[in-house]
């Protein structure tokens, strides 16, 4: 049974936007999470499924690696499986999850999708659009846990039709609206475009400091593996009292090596993703 080692780690984002200046100092000085305050680790099993050689994917002069070629599912597979669920398809140069209307991972052959390579420090860019009333998410630092959903171990950048999905009015202060750190930090300003239009997202993760951008504006910043991160979890649906295993995995998200998979969520609705690329910051 794998035990996850607690590390306190946060750092300055390379080229961080000006408003992050105060946050950088906070990240550097954030106290470590006290491991003695955490209860015994609930039992779980990590999967060991095939990964891909990232060097075989196109890379441009600026270091951006194409994760989706607009034609095939090369490099992608289902979460906790070796093939691509049939609920996912390539449609008009985008990855499309066909809405089942059956809720989260409710399709006959659905479930979340992951790119089969673990990432540590990176900038991820992509575009998404949703059908009316649709819900999805972008996960990062996923650990594949046997018998458990992807979101049990991974922070989520929310994908949502804010105007027509009820989740937009749940949570606290809009922290379930698009590009929010789901159920923890609201995206501000909330500048998403309505259903049927493309939204651009960038997620920057560097030594524990994470920033979400939506339509070219920074909207979320936080620091993994710090007291701030623990407090966010304590106040969320993933708290130790509500969901002990999720709390343990998220408190130590990324596992021993502080890395994990990137994933797209099947929430039972029609959602499209395109122009998916990543730059390594190691």
């Amino acid at each position: 049974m794998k035990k996850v080692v607690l590390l306190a780690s946060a750092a300055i984002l390379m080229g961080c936007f000006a408003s992050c200046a105060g946050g950088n100092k906070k990240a550097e000085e954030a106290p470590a999470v006290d491991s003695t305050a955490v209860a015994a680790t609930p039992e779980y099993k990590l999967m060991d499924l095939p990964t891909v050689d990232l060097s075989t994917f196109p890379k441009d002069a600026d270091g951006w690696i194409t994760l989706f070629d607009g034609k095939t599912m090369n490099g992608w597979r289902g979460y906790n499986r070796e093939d691509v669920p049939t609920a996912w398809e390539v449609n008009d140069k985008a990855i499309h999850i066909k809405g089942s209307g059956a809720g989260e991972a409710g399709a006959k052959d659905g479930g979340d999708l992951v790119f089969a390579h673990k990432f540590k420090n990176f900038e991820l860019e992509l575009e998404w659009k949703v059908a009316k009333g649709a819900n999805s998410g972008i996960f990062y630092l996923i650990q594949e846990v046997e018998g458990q959903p992807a979101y049990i171990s991974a922070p989520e950048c929310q994908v949502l039709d804010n105007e027509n999905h009820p989740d937009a009015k749940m949570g606290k202060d809009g922290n379930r609206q698009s590009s929010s750190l789901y159920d923890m930090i609201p995206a501000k300003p909330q500048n998403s475009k309505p259903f049927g239009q493309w939204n651009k997202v960038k997620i920057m993760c560097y030594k524990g400091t994470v920033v979400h951008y939506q339509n070219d504006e920074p909207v979320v910043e936080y620091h993994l593996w710090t007291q701030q991160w623990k407090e966010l979890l304590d106040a969320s649906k993933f708290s130790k009292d509500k969901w002990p295993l999720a709390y343990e995995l998220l408190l130590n998200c990324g596992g021993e090596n502080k890395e994990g998979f990137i994933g797209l969520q099947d929430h039972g609705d029609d959602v499209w993703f395109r122009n998916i690329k990543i730059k390594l910051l190691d």
Side-chain angles (χ1 to χ4, degrees):
M1 219 47 70
K2 188 162 184 175
K3 300 281 287 185
V4 185
V5 179
L6 292 175
L7 294 176
S9 174
I12 303 172
L13 277 173
M14 298 183 343
C16 185
F17 49 86
S19 63
C20 290
N24 288 340
K25 187 172 187 295
K26 178 180 177 182
E28 292 176 333
E29 298 176 355
V33 176
D34 181 5
S35 61
T36 62
V38 180
T41 307
E43 293 188 350
Y44 62 93
K45 179 182 177 181
L46 296 180
M47 305 293 284
D48 185 16
L49 296 172
T51 58
V52 296
D53 181 356
L54 199 62
S55 69
T56 64
F57 288 78
K59 183 177 182 179
D60 70 16
D62 295 321
W64 288 99
I65 302 166
T66 299
L67 300 187
F68 171 57
D69 61 13
K71 301 175 183 178
T72 71
M73 288 286 198
N74 181 37
W76 297 84
R77 58 173 173 79
Y79 170 82
N80 275 357
R81 55 192 286 178
E82 297 186 24
D83 60 342
V84 176
T86 58
W88 292 89
E89 65 173 359
V90 177
N91 177 278
D92 194 22
K93 298 183 180 180
I95 293 178
H96 173 222
I97 176 63
K98 294 177 281 187
S100 64
E104 194 164 357
K108 184 177 179 180
D109 187 27
D112 298 335
L113 197 68
V114 299
F115 186 82
H117 182 87
K118 289 186 176 182
F119 297 99
K120 189 171 186 176
N121 298 314
F122 59 86
E123 292 180 40
L124 172 70
E125 285 193 1
L126 71 160
E127 294 176 289
W128 60 262
K129 71 175 179 179
V130 294
K132 185 175 181 178
N135 185 342
S136 183
I138 303 161
F139 301 121
Y140 45 97
L141 301 177
I142 297 171
Q143 308 302 299
E144 291 184 292
V145 183
E146 185 178 55
Q148 297 291 339
Y151 61 80
I152 197 171
S153 69
E156 177 183 350
C157 178
Q158 174 78 309
V159 170
L160 197 74
D161 175 4
N162 290 338
E163 296 301 317
N164 297 289
H165 195 285
D167 217 22
K169 297 179 177 61
M170 300 175 70
K172 182 179 180 181
D173 194 27
N175 67 4
R176 295 189 181 183
Q177 295 184 7
S178 66
S179 288
S180 296
L181 174 62
Y182 177 74
D183 205 53
M184 288 186 256
I185 301 178
K188 293 185 177 181
Q190 181 48 252
N191 62 346
S192 69
K193 298 177 183 178
F195 72 91
Q197 296 186 32
W198 289 102
N199 287 273
K200 180 182 177 182
V201 165
K202 179 166 75 171
I203 299 168
M204 184 180 291
C205 182
Y206 185 69
K207 296 184 178 180
T209 296
V210 181
V211 181
H212 295 180
Y213 293 78
Q214 181 168 256
N215 295 320
D216 297 316
E217 289 191 78
V219 294
V220 166
E221 181 189 358
Y222 69 101
H223 309 284
L224 291 168
W225 317 308
T226 64
Q227 184 63 30
Q228 179 208 24
W229 178 234
K230 181 180 182 298
E231 290 170 359
L232 287 168
L233 289 172
D234 288 339
S236 77
K237 64 184 286 184
F238 307 108
S239 68
K240 184 165 63 175
D241 291 340
K242 295 174 184 175
W243 198 346
L245 180 54
Y247 181 80
E248 175 67 24
L249 289 165
L250 285 165
L251 189 66
N252 306 285
C253 65
E256 292 179 351
N257 295 322
K258 299 291 185 278
E259 63 181 11
F261 299 103
I262 288 163
L264 308 175
Q265 187 179 39
D266 168 13
H267 207 284
D269 302 319
D270 281 286
V271 184
W272 294 260
F273 302 90
R274 71 179 186 186
N275 295 331
I276 307 172
K277 60 183 181 179
I278 199 163
K279 180 186 287 188
L280 304 183
L281 300 180
D282 293 306

